[in-house]
Amino acid sequence: ALGGFLISVATFLSYLIAAVSQFLLAIFVRVIVRETLVHTPDQHRAAPRPLAGYGIMRRDRSFMNLWGLFIMNSIASSMVFVLLGVYVKENFDIAEGRFGFIIGANAVMVVLLQYSVTRRSMGYAPLRVMSSGALFYAAGLVVFALSQGFPVFLLGMVILTMGEMLIVPTG
């Protein structure tokens, strides 16, 4: 929401702040964060063949089906988070500052609800959880398609986020 407000007031400043933040984060990660994986030399192990595991994966029909459907959902997700801002501004005159609240609803829901949703969904079959999540996601997209104003776009994001919280951790 803050980013949407800032970009509506000062576009150049917004990009400058984003660039400086990314640069500082890169320095922080390089200097402060340490690798946690312990590397131990193993003389008895042959060097792995880089593409050896892909044949096994391609023969696993269930995995390939799941992977294909997960990719399709990821494409829909990318479209929402890349194009929705332009769509609501150009077609419904929803300013960047207000659009930030739509995206912010996603972030707030994930932060507040993700652990409890994941904990509850663990008692069910993963395929059933992901299918339910995909239905929520599809319903959210339909709400976006039928929306005419800010409150309904916000509702669509709430529905879509419920699907996201089921699909992503389970996948």
Side-chain angles (χ1 to χ4, degrees), residues 1-22 96-97:
L2 180 61
F5 171 75
L6 186 58
I7 206 163
S8 68
V9 174
T11 305
F12 176 76
L13 182 60
S14 300
Y15 286 111
L16 183 63
I17 290 171
V20 168
S21 298
Q22 288 292 328
E96 294 91 345

Side-chain angles (χ1 to χ4, degrees), residues 8 12-13 21 32 34 60-61 68 92 109 126 131 133 142 146 155 171:
S8 68
F12 176 76
L13 182 60
S21 298
I32 304 294
R34 297 285 174 235
D60 186 343
R61 303 298 295 165
F92 301 100
M109 285 180 67
S131 298
V142 167
L146 300 175
L155 173 65

Side-chain angles (χ1 to χ4, degrees), residues 72-87 137 141 144:
M72 289 172 58
N73 184 264
S74 296
I75 291 169
S77 174
S78 296
M79 289 175 59
V80 167
F81 289 100
V82 170
L83 299 176
L84 187 62
V86 174
Y87 176 69
Y137 216 95
L141 292 172
F144 287 155

Side-chain angles (χ1 to χ4, degrees), residues 83-94 147-148 153:
L83 299 176
L84 187 62
V86 174
Y87 176 69
V88 299
K89 181 179 181 187
E90 296 296 319
N91 295 302
F92 301 100
D93 203 31
I94 296 174
S147 295
Q148 296 292 314
F153 279 108

